[in-house]
Amino acid sequence: FQLLTFFMSNDKIIVRGARVHNLKNVTVEIPRHKLVVITGLSGSGKSSLAFDTIYAEGQRRYAESFSAYARQFLGILDKPDVDQIEGLSPTISIDQRTVLHNPRSTVGTLTEIYDYLRLLFARIGRPFCVNCGQAMKKETIIVAQEENNNQKNKTIEIFICPKCSLQAPKLEPRLFSFNSPFGACSACKGLGSKLEIDPELLIPNKRLSLAEGALQPWPKIFANQPSYWQMLERLTQRNHFSVNTAVQELSKSQLDIVLYGEKVKPVQDYFIGAIPLLEKKHEETDSDYLRGEIEKYMRVFLCPTCRGKRLRKEALTVLILGKTIADFTTLTVADTQNFFDQLSGPVGETKLTASEYKIAKPIFKELKRPLGFLIDVGLDYLTLDRVSLSLAGGEAQRLRLANQISSALTGVIYILDEPSIGLHARDNAKLIETLKKLRDLKNTIIVVEHDEAMIRAADWLIDMGPGAGKLGGEVVAQGRLDQILKNKKSLTGKYLSGELKIERSQPPRTGESKFLEIKGAKAYNLKNIDVRLPLAKFICITGVSGSGKSTLVIEILAKSLAHHFYRAKDLPGQHNKILGIENIDKIIRIDQSPIGRTPRSNPATYTGIFTYIRDLFSSLPESQAKGYNAGNFSFNVDGGRCRTCSGEGYVKIEMQFLAAVYIECEACHGKRYSDEVLAIYYKGKNIADVLDLSVSEAMIFFSDIPPLYEKLKTLHSVGLDYLPLGQSATTLSGGEAQRIKLATELSRRSTGKTLYILDEPTTGLHFEDTKKLLVVLNKLVDKGNTIIVIEHHLDVIKCADWIIDLGPEGGNKGGEMVACGTPEEIIKNKKSYTGQYLKRQFNAK
Ligand code: ADP
Ligand code: ADP
Ligand code: ZN
Ligand code: ZN
């Protein structure tokens, strides 16, 4: 980093001639050491500028600073399509796409907090005997040690049980690490849980016989391996029953033989049991598909040995003030802070001995730093043992932000993607302060953001547009807030000045309606609450981060209904019952997860538009003459697709230590099809040209084909005019994926009794996009459907028919229903944070 300081004499980062994705040869100056916010419509090119140009070039230069030897492992980093970037310094991106895959990492381990706790336990923990529970005593012993062939005596201290003379393992930090073989519970290898086949899922229908496929995964997984069928057949013969007997008629011991294997091993072809067989396959297979198939029959069980505490018992019998290290990790960040605050007082007030306190004091001091930053970014309600995998994208992002501040680097360009996601207006101010703190350490903060408070707090704004996709990619306006407000070209400016607004299209729908009612909701932090949801309304679930919104709506409601309507295997969160299910006939969750995980999925395939297009191409006279059918125009099967890339357009190159890299296919140049197929034209365009059309272009091109036109119109109505039909799913943003799903739902015949659930649908959306989204959602409600959204966006909350406000705080201090009613009623409720902010919103414009 010091090497690079001479670059930093510049007070600006200058990007010249950026042409990544839709950027139109953009040149822009970004002031250093400022909080810079990039705004603009969804798809206007904000991420292309911030992440795919500035960050990508920063990464590439970073990689270049390594030796050639190291570079081969870092991979080929393409130079982004940009003429020049001046004044670049090391760049760090803190986005929401970085998924935390590791089931071993927790809030504690990700933040150094757990490292300090381990150190604390190694230094002042008091061990108790795992045999008899006695407090162990410290004893000094002398042992002989061989050193350079000399016999030497060494004095060590050890802990011994006075009653049964058992010796404790050495108290050192690694004893308390569940990611080390020294500390981990050996039964679950430190995971705290085990993924196991659930017999109930394996045989859902006991009326079937083995021959009829009672073992549900059997036909799929072992279909082309007759040996496994023969094995079952011989097994049943040996044990005197038949593959044709219904499972419910088998005795328990016979069923156990099928599931868990034979107790008495025959000489030949011993059957280890369906469950061990599948578990073995699950562990050994290198096919993701097969592993996924088997996981459909598996559930996560708490490890019976450590009961989820992840550590071996010798580590779990070491205490500080009566608590094990696992007990400490069940505390929230806020409670941990309070606990150590109390201990940090005058020595007499703590229950630690004077010498323990002296040892612990510097560790307390270190602990306070990361704890404080987590509180600053609004994560005070998370427990230290919370598995990082279960964090929402916004939570994980803010956790990484806290880590960055904690590391106190300077001279860095930080690039963030909507850090306000998941944050209530109340906590936004704290987040903004945190970013300013990071800026004041002489860093440049570039934030892609839609949140009004964040935009207003920026030192410098860059407004992208004027439209999205091909219609965007330019800097429409830049400058300080007052300059943007005056700029007639800036759409963002117009919304900020109040010239444009998101308005309620109608007063709240207050008419009589049927209800869905959740009784006794108790999962996670919910305090045994009853919640009534009026149907055929637009309902917003609000509350500060961690108050219990997702737990109520996703964990309990969505999962229960998915189980009811679709027999989904996921167990819903704890509650008594849900009343009124008969008033709806299906549930649809529309989230921001990708619409497909391979470059072969795209908006056309997802929405079904591609089926029409393929039919159209195969019905052309030229196709008929060549005997082509719709399959020849598919890139999912052989017949018309490019053979080199199997229709992906790209070739995947596996990198040794890094994520795989995709490179355009040399044979078809990314067009995905064989030359023969590309020679067939409809109205002057071949199938690859058609896939390149944007939604609005396609609407003109296919205006005389009604079913196609109608489907395209739904994509238009959710604001995706600019989107190319064939853009691969892997490059779509979460917001784009969500709107494609919404459009697909819109094009289905509505039953008028559907419940739609959306989680922060405004993610990635500009005011203008949000306005369009509200129109679409209202249309669905007008047909009698019910919409439930979890939202923080005050303009959306303002437009709800009914609000359910949870809280009052996050974590254990939340989980209650603070208020419910129309926006007007919520405003009057003094206890509701949402009400207070909503009031300002109503008054402001
Ligand atoms: P924003 O961040 O403003 O929402 P983006 O920069 O993500 O917009 O996208 C700008 C345009 O570039 C959009 O039309 C988007 O679909 C397109 N785009 C984004 N990523 C890729 C990619 N990897 N390949 C092709 N097009 C892309
Ligand atoms: P919100 O959606 O309002 O932000 P959540 O429903 O996600 O809040 O969280 C409510 C409480 O439940 C929080 O204390 C949170 O830490 C806890 N919680 C949520 N998900 C999990 C989980 N998978 N494991 C443990 N605790 C969880
Ligand atoms: Zn265990
Ligand atoms: Zn190809």
Side-chain angles (χ1 to χ4, degrees):
F1 283 8
Q2 270 171 3
L3 244 177
L4 285 153
T5 45
F6 78 96
F7 280 126
M8 291 185 218
S9 48
N10 290 336
D11 57 357
K12 287 184 203 120
I13 303 156
I14 307 178
V15 179
R16 289 186 211 281
R19 289 173 297 270
V20 174
H21 304 150
N22 70 335
L23 297 180
K24 302 223 173 87
N25 210 15
V26 163
T27 293
V28 60
E29 297 188 356
I30 300 172
R32 286 185 151 280
H33 308 163
K34 295 275 191 267
L35 174 58
V36 179
V37 172
I38 307 185
T39 59
L41 290 179
S42 168
S44 59
K46 302 179 295 297
S47 320
S48 299
L49 176 63
F51 289 95
D52 305 312
T53 306
I54 300 174
Y55 176 65
E57 177 63 6
Q59 285 302 95
R60 195 187 63 87
R61 288 199 201 166
Y62 177 64
E64 296 231 305
S65 69
F66 283 91
S67 66
Y69 175 76
R71 269 209 308 271
Q72 67 181 350
F73 302 112
L74 279 170
I76 321 150
L77 290 175
D78 270 340
K79 186 173 164 42
D81 190 359
V82 54
D83 291 337
Q84 193 190 27
I85 304 185
E86 276 173 42
L88 203 58
S89 50
T91 47
I92 294 177
S93 103
I94 309 181
D95 60 20
Q96 293 172 31
R97 284 171 279 190
T98 310
V99 249
L100 307 160
H101 284 299
N102 188 349
R104 296 182 164 277
S105 70
T106 62
V107 168
T109 63
L110 280 175
T111 54
E112 292 185 298
I113 293 173
Y114 194 67
D115 295 337
Y116 289 121
L117 281 181
R118 289 196 288 131
L119 189 63
L120 194 67
F121 270 81
R123 295 280 184 275
I124 65 165
R126 295 180 197 166
F128 288 76
C129 178
V130 292
N131 261 347
C132 62
Q134 281 277 318
M136 295 175 111
K137 290 237 148 54
K138 209 173 214 177
E139 278 180 22
T140 310
I141 55 164
I142 296 167
V143 286
Q145 254 189 354
E146 190 108 348
E147 210 174 86
N148 304 331
N149 291 331
N150 287 328
Q151 192 85 338
K152 257 188 157 182
N153 284 341
K154 210 179 158 192
T155 314
I156 56 168
E157 289 187 349
I158 55 165
F159 281 101
I160 283 199
C161 173
K163 212 162 140 197
C164 57
S165 306
L166 192 79
Q167 188 184 330
K170 195 173 166 208
L171 295 195
E172 49 186 343
R174 66 178 182 180
L175 174 66
F176 303 97
S177 167
F178 44 79
N179 292 327
S180 147
F182 290 95
C185 161
S186 55
C188 62
K189 303 197 170 63
L191 280 171
S193 61
K194 289 169 125 178
L195 199 57
E196 283 176 9
I197 299 275
D198 183 338
E200 291 298 315
L201 296 171
L202 203 58
I203 310 184
N205 183 354
K206 295 199 169 52
R207 280 181 301 243
L208 297 181
S209 67
L210 295 177
E212 286 166 331
L215 288 168
Q216 182 126 7
W218 227 251
K220 241 189 242 159
I221 293 169
F222 299 114
N224 46 13
Q225 287 164 302
S227 61
Y228 286 109
W229 289 98
Q230 286 157 11
M231 208 195 271
L232 275 182
E233 185 124 27
R234 287 196 295 272
L235 173 84
T236 53
Q237 277 165 14
R238 265 201 307 274
N239 293 281
H240 315 292
F241 59 99
S242 152
V243 282
N244 297 313
T245 316
V247 167
Q248 63 189 5
E249 275 150 35
L250 297 181
S251 70
K252 177 161 184 330
S253 64
Q254 286 169 334
L255 184 58
D256 278 355
I257 286 173
V258 174
L259 293 177
Y260 305 105
E262 292 164 286
K263 285 202 194 79
V264 190
K265 298 186 184 181
V267 194
Q268 265 185 339
D269 93 318
Y270 156 60
F271 185 67
I272 67 164
I275 290 182
L277 188 64
L278 287 170
E279 282 175 347
K280 192 159 159 267
K281 220 170 174 80
H282 180 258
E283 202 172 306
E284 290 168 358
T285 183
D286 44 21
S287 151
D288 285 344
Y289 168 76
L290 200 55
R291 188 170 299 117
E293 276 303 310
I294 298 175
E295 280 173 8
K296 286 185 187 158
Y297 306 96
M298 299 178 108
R299 277 189 207 285
V300 177
F301 290 93
L302 203 65
C303 168
T305 308
C306 65
R307 314 216 113 260
K309 297 189 170 160
R310 296 166 174 252
L311 293 167
R312 61 189 266 211
K313 57 182 188 296
E314 288 80 0
L316 292 172
T317 43
V318 179
L319 306 180
I320 295 180
L321 299 176
K323 280 188 158 67
T324 67
I325 191 164
D327 293 337
F328 270 94
T329 61
T330 64
L331 297 177
T332 64
V333 167
D335 288 344
T336 313
Q337 173 86 306
N338 290 338
F339 188 85
F340 288 117
D341 272 350
Q342 283 164 19
L343 290 184
S344 318
V347 177
E349 286 175 23
T350 74
K351 283 176 255 154
L352 296 179
T353 65
S355 64
E356 281 173 336
Y357 181 71
K358 204 172 158 199
I359 299 168
K361 202 174 160 192
I363 305 177
F364 289 160
K365 220 177 124 205
E366 290 298 325
L367 262 168
K368 284 188 78 162
R369 210 167 32 93
L371 286 169
F373 291 128
L374 285 173
I375 294 170
D376 283 348
V377 296
L379 295 177
D380 56 333
Y381 59 90
L382 292 180
T383 57
L384 299 179
D385 62 2
R386 178 72 175 275
V387 184
S388 59
L389 270 172
S390 73
L391 296 175
E395 287 174 329
Q397 186 191 30
R398 280 180 280 129
L399 191 135
R400 291 177 58 217
L401 179 63
N403 273 349
Q404 284 301 328
I405 309 165
S406 176
S407 68
L409 295 175
T410 71
V412 173
I413 301 171
Y414 285 102
I415 307 191
L416 291 94
D417 185 13
E418 282 200 271
S420 71
I421 296 304
L423 267 193
H424 190 275
R426 187 198 67 171
D427 299 317
N428 228 340
K430 256 197 308 198
L431 172 71
I432 293 170
E433 282 317 303
T434 308
L435 292 178
K436 287 183 174 170
K437 234 187 247 175
L438 198 57
R439 171 200 66 191
D440 293 341
L441 291 169
K442 290 217 172 332
N443 296 302
T444 307
I445 320 294
I446 301 178
V447 189
V448 172
E449 188 54 275
H450 299 284
D451 175 71
E452 182 166 346
M454 182 83 72
I455 296 174
R456 289 189 184 277
D459 301 316
W460 191 260
L461 288 164
I462 297 174
D463 194 28
M464 303 291 297
K470 289 177 202 169
L471 306 175
E474 294 170 42
V475 174
V476 175
Q478 53 184 315
R480 295 183 316 267
L481 178 67
D482 57 300
Q483 294 169 310
I484 298 293
L485 286 175
K486 276 184 258 160
N487 192 319
K488 288 282 158 228
K489 283 196 290 186
S490 166
L491 195 56
T492 307
K494 285 187 184 166
Y495 274 99
L496 293 175
S497 69
E499 187 182 333
L500 289 175
K501 314 179 188 172
I502 296 178
E503 269 169 320
R504 238 174 13 186
S505 56
Q506 57 192 53
R509 301 175 181 84
T510 50
E512 278 285 298
S513 70
K514 293 186 171 152
F515 291 92
L516 207 55
E517 195 164 0
I518 304 168
K519 291 277 199 189
K522 287 192 273 287
Y524 299 137
N525 70 335
L526 296 180
K527 307 272 158 46
N528 197 9
I529 56 174
D530 297 341
V531 179
R532 231 171 184 230
L533 303 156
L535 297 176
K537 301 240 154 46
F538 177 33
I539 305 170
C540 268
I541 314 287
T542 59
V544 299
S545 193
S547 57
K549 301 181 295 297
S550 328
T551 306
L552 181 73
V553 176
I554 310 291
E555 292 299 314
I556 296 179
L557 184 65
K559 286 194 179 166
S560 298
L561 296 181
H563 183 74
H564 176 89
F565 288 113
Y566 317 118
R567 310 244 117 253
K569 82 159 194 188
D570 268 5
L571 293 177
Q574 206 192 345
H575 67 287
N576 281 346
K577 58 185 167 213
I578 296 180
L579 303 176
I581 298 186
E582 66 281 4
N583 297 324
I584 57 171
D585 62 8
K586 64 179 162 165
I587 167 181
I588 293 171
R589 248 186 92 183
I590 300 177
D591 58 17
Q592 301 212 338
S593 63
I595 60 169
R597 296 192 183 277
T598 73
R600 271 199 279 260
S601 336
N602 59 43
T605 58
Y606 187 85
T607 54
I609 286 173
F610 200 44
T611 313
Y612 290 102
I613 296 178
R614 286 190 295 146
D615 286 345
L616 178 70
F617 270 91
S618 61
S619 69
L620 297 173
E622 245 180 296
S623 300
Q624 297 288 314
K626 289 192 176 169
Y628 283 175
N629 57 29
N632 297 86
F633 294 92
S634 162
F635 36 70
N636 284 329
V637 293
D638 280 335
R641 66 179 182 186
C642 167
R643 280 167 194 274
T644 310
C645 62
S646 304
E648 296 209 343
Y650 289 86
V651 182
K652 186 174 171 186
I653 298 183
E654 296 286 355
M655 307 298 299
Q656 222 159 352
F657 300 117
L658 289 175
V661 175
Y662 289 91
I663 294 189
E664 194 179 88
C665 169
E666 285 180 0
C668 66
H669 301 287
K671 293 202 183 301
R672 304 160 161 226
Y673 289 96
S674 67
D675 289 344
E676 294 78 35
V677 167
L678 292 175
I680 295 181
Y681 285 86
Y682 169 73
K683 292 212 289 193
K685 290 194 191 299
N686 66 22
I687 188 133
D689 298 333
V690 167
L691 284 170
D692 275 344
L693 292 177
S694 69
V695 169
S696 56
E697 288 164 342
M699 281 172 77
I700 299 169
F701 192 72
F702 293 120
S703 57
D704 51 351
I705 304 179
L708 242 177
Y709 181 80
E710 287 305 315
K711 286 219 179 237
L712 288 164
K713 216 168 81 182
T714 57
L715 285 168
H716 158 82
S717 73
V718 294
L720 291 175
D721 281 307
Y722 63 89
L723 203 70
L725 296 183
Q727 183 166 333
S728 77
T730 52
T731 67
L732 296 168
S733 71
E736 283 171 335
Q738 183 181 43
R739 279 181 291 156
I740 292 170
K741 292 178 193 177
L742 205 53
T744 310
E745 289 310 324
L746 280 175
S747 70
R748 294 213 169 109
R749 194 180 302 270
S750 152
T751 59
K753 283 173 85 177
T754 303
L755 174 67
Y756 296 89
I757 295 184
L758 294 91
D759 190 357
E760 277 205 276
T762 62
T763 302
L765 302 191
H766 187 264
F767 300 104
E768 182 77 10
D769 303 312
T770 300
K771 199 187 237 176
K772 282 191 187 142
L773 176 75
L774 283 170
V775 171
V776 172
L777 296 180
N778 272 311
K779 262 190 208 157
L780 286 169
V781 180
D782 286 338
K783 290 185 189 161
N785 304 298
T786 308
I787 306 254
I788 299 181
V789 301
I790 298 175
E791 249 316 333
H792 295 289
H793 197 307
L794 291 167
D795 282 324
V796 173
I797 300 174
K798 185 178 80 182
C799 296
D801 299 322
W802 194 258
I803 295 169
I804 288 165
D805 193 38
L806 299 183
E809 304 288 332
N812 279 334
K813 300 194 185 81
E816 316 246 13
M817 188 161 79
V818 177
C820 68
T822 60
E824 278 73 7
E825 286 164 344
I826 298 291
I827 284 177
K828 289 191 205 119
N829 191 319
K830 297 229 157 54
K831 278 186 295 185
S832 163
Y833 288 119
T834 306
Q836 293 171 31
Y837 283 90
L838 203 54
K839 193 169 176 179
R840 288 187 214 171
Q841 192 74 3
F842 269 112
N843 293 342
K845 291 175 186 170

